[in-house]
């Protein structure tokens, strides 16, 4: 798997900031295939590329693998959405999948994690999206645990319409808090709490997308490759 393969961005993806597909890496860098066309340096050159949900995926070893996207102004999101496929091999307390936070409780920080202690979700194997605002953690936690060694599509939408968490294209939790990932300093990190601290994620990750607008349940369902039904339900093919 070598080099960067540009993929045309469809007209409905003009608000797409980042699209990381497991197909696009040269062993030193991960390439973004949105219309922004940037690359990110791997923290550990041993991040492997294996069969994923769609084509190939990145596998994080749980020991030293993470991806730092930096902190450009475009990632300061008052309104936004993030989606990805995950296949965890190991789930521990406060295992962070994605973070723009230094865990200081600062307004405008946030992260996506398993067994989030800030949400009193330890030991449940549930996933939480946490927004930090003025010393308060605003949590949206899945109703059911996320299964190990199985692919699950996770998505969050946040901003002026509140916070929503989606599992396999279906609404799994909401919060009325109006906020986003708006603070300048923390880098956007995949697979670890911050670039210098926190547990490492162990498992596979595929098709990570980040948008600068909130996304509807129908849009998330379709983006996940699912069939959307009028009553708001989504059927997403989920291979083992």
């Amino acid at each position: 798997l070598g080099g960067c393969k540009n993929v045309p961005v469809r007209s409905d993806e003009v608000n797409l900031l980042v699209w990381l597909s497991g197909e696009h890496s040269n062993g030193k860098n991960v390439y973004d295939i949105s219309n922004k066309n940037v690359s990110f340096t791997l923290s550990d050159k041993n991040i492997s590329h294996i069969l994923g949900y769609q084509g190939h995926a990145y596998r994080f070893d749980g020991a030293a693998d993470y991806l730092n996207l930096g902190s450009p102004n475009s990632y300061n999101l008052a309104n936004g959405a993030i989606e990805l496929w995950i296949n965890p091999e190991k789930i521990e307390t406060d295992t962070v999948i994605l973070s723009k936070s230094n865990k200081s409780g600062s307004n405008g920080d946030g992260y996506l994690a398993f067994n989030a202690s800030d949400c009193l979700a330890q030991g449940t194997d549930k996933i939480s999206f946490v927004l930090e605002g003025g010393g308060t953690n605003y949590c949206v936690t899945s109703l059911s645990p996320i299964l190990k060694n199985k692919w699950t599509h996770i998505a969050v939408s946040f901003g002026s319409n509140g916070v929503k968490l989606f599992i396999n294209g279906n609404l799994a939790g909401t919060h009325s808090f109006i906020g986003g990932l708006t603070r300048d300093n923390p880098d956007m990190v995949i697979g670890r709490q911050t670039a210098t601290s926190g547990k490492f994620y162990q498992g596979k990750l595929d098709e990570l997308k980040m948008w600068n607008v909130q996304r509807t349940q129908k849009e998330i369902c379709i983006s996940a490759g699912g069939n959307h039904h009028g009553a708001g339900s989504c059927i997403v093919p989920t291979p083992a």
Side-chain angles (χ1 to χ4, degrees):
L1 302 176
C4 177
K5 179 182 177 182
N6 288 323
V7 176
V9 176
R10 299 191 302 270
S11 60
D12 65 337
E13 292 177 338
V14 294
N15 297 112
L16 184 62
L17 291 176
V18 173
W19 183 358
L20 301 183
S21 169
E23 307 297 329
H24 305 89
S25 172
N26 63 4
K28 296 180 180 179
N29 299 91
V30 169
Y31 293 95
D32 168 31
I33 60 170
S34 75
N35 60 353
K36 307 303 184 290
N37 284 327
V38 296
S39 65
F40 308 103
T41 302
L42 297 170
S43 65
D44 183 339
K45 304 306 184 289
N46 293 320
I47 291 179
S48 56
H49 299 80
I50 59 177
L51 289 178
Y53 175 79
Q54 180 175 307
H56 290 82
Y58 305 110
R59 181 185 178 272
F60 295 75
D61 65 9
D65 292 349
Y66 71 96
L67 182 60
N68 189 342
L69 308 190
S71 54
N73 290 336
S74 60
Y75 295 173
N76 296 340
L77 301 174
N79 293 277
I82 298 169
E83 59 178 288
L84 67 162
W85 284 94
I86 57 172
N87 188 329
E89 298 169 8
K90 184 178 181 180
I91 298 177
E92 297 181 320
T93 297
D94 293 325
T95 298
V96 175
I97 307 301
L98 178 146
S99 173
K100 195 176 190 297
S101 169
N102 60 14
K103 290 287 285 180
S104 66
S106 299
N107 189 51
D109 284 7
Y111 62 93
L112 180 72
F114 289 113
N115 294 335
S117 56
D118 286 335
C119 306
L120 301 179
Q122 305 97 304
T124 65
D125 286 359
K126 295 179 180 180
I127 199 163
S128 299
F129 182 62
V130 185
L131 288 174
E132 302 169 8
T136 300
N137 295 308
Y138 299 93
C139 300
V140 182
T141 300
S142 61
L143 298 174
S144 301
I146 303 301
L147 299 178
K148 291 189 284 290
N149 301 308
K150 285 190 174 294
W151 284 104
T152 302
H153 187 266
I154 309 292
V156 294
S157 178
F158 53 87
S160 56
N161 292 322
V163 186
K164 295 181 180 179
L165 172 68
F166 301 88
I167 306 295
N168 289 331
N170 293 290
L171 185 65
T174 65
H175 200 293
S176 60
F177 177 67
I178 296 174
L181 304 175
T182 55
R183 198 160 73 89
D184 289 335
N185 294 333
D187 290 345
M188 184 77 73
V189 177
I190 311 299
R192 197 181 187 190
Q193 176 66 59
T194 73
T196 59
S197 65
K199 294 178 180 176
F200 294 96
Y201 167 64
Q202 181 175 332
K204 307 178 192 74
L205 185 149
D206 202 2
E207 301 298 327
L208 185 147
K209 299 177 183 179
M210 184 166 67
W211 312 78
N212 62 7
V213 293
Q214 290 192 264
R215 301 274 283 170
T216 67
Q217 187 264 339
K218 181 178 181 180
E219 289 171 328
I220 287 170
C221 176
I222 293 172
S223 182
N227 295 314
H228 183 265
H229 298 272
S233 64
C234 181
I235 299 176
V236 174
T238 52

